Amino acid sequence: MGISLEQKTVSAMIRVYCRARHPATGRSPCPDCVALEKYAHQRLLQCPFREAKPVCSDCTVHCYSKTMREKIRAVMRFAGPRMILRHPMLAFVHLFRKIISRVR
Ligand SMILES: [Zn+2]
């Protein structure tokens, strides 16, 4: 599982969330969600574990700022179950758990 796949996953989740929660902004995510997406990508790039990231329960790094953590958690809570329904592969579920671990 590479970093870029995680970035794609985060982007997909933000899109699902924005389309449902901020429908007035149309097809592309609203400025707020674009900013959140950029921030999340940046955090993934700067993850000290990189490719060797530990799984959720072992992750000790809380790299999100308080505000951004709350925003991304809202996205995960909303988009997570919907994404898993659409991509019911075990690999995806595992990836999702890894990402979620960072925002706890
Ligand atoms: Zn939005």
Side-chain angles (χ1 to χ4, degrees), residues 3 9 11-12 26-29 34 37 41 43 47 56 61 64 68 72 74-75 84 89-90:
I3 292 288
T9 307
S11 297
R27 269 180 171 270
S28 43
V34 168
E37 184 183 6
H41 283 193
R43 298 265 70 78
C47 177
C56 42
V61 175
Y64 278 66
M68 286 306 202
I72 201 78
V75 169
I84 286 170
M89 308 94 78
L90 273 179

Side-chain angles (χ1 to χ4, degrees), residues 52-63:
K53 281 187 309 300
V55 288
C56 42
S57 48
D58 301 328
C59 192
T60 51
V61 175
H62 301 282
C63 61

Side-chain angles (χ1 to χ4, degrees), residues 1-10 44-45 47 49-56 87-99 102:
M1 291 291 174
I3 292 288
S4 65
L5 182 57
E6 293 198 336
Q7 290 180 327
K8 277 182 203 159
T9 307
V10 168
L44 282 171
L45 282 176
C47 177
F49 300 110
R50 300 304 303 253
E51 300 297 323
K53 281 187 309 300
V55 288
C56 42
H87 307 271
M89 308 94 78
L90 273 179
F92 189 92
V93 174
H94 180 65
L95 174 64
F96 171 68
R97 285 197 184 126
K98 269 166 82 177
I99 292 174
R102 274 203 214 104

Side-chain angles (χ1 to χ4, degrees), residues 14-15 17-19 21-23 25 28-34:
I14 289 173
R15 253 150 254 253
Y17 175 80
C18 191
R19 224 175 277 148
R21 290 293 168 90
H22 315 135
T25 55
S28 43
C30 67
D32 251 26
C33 291
V34 168

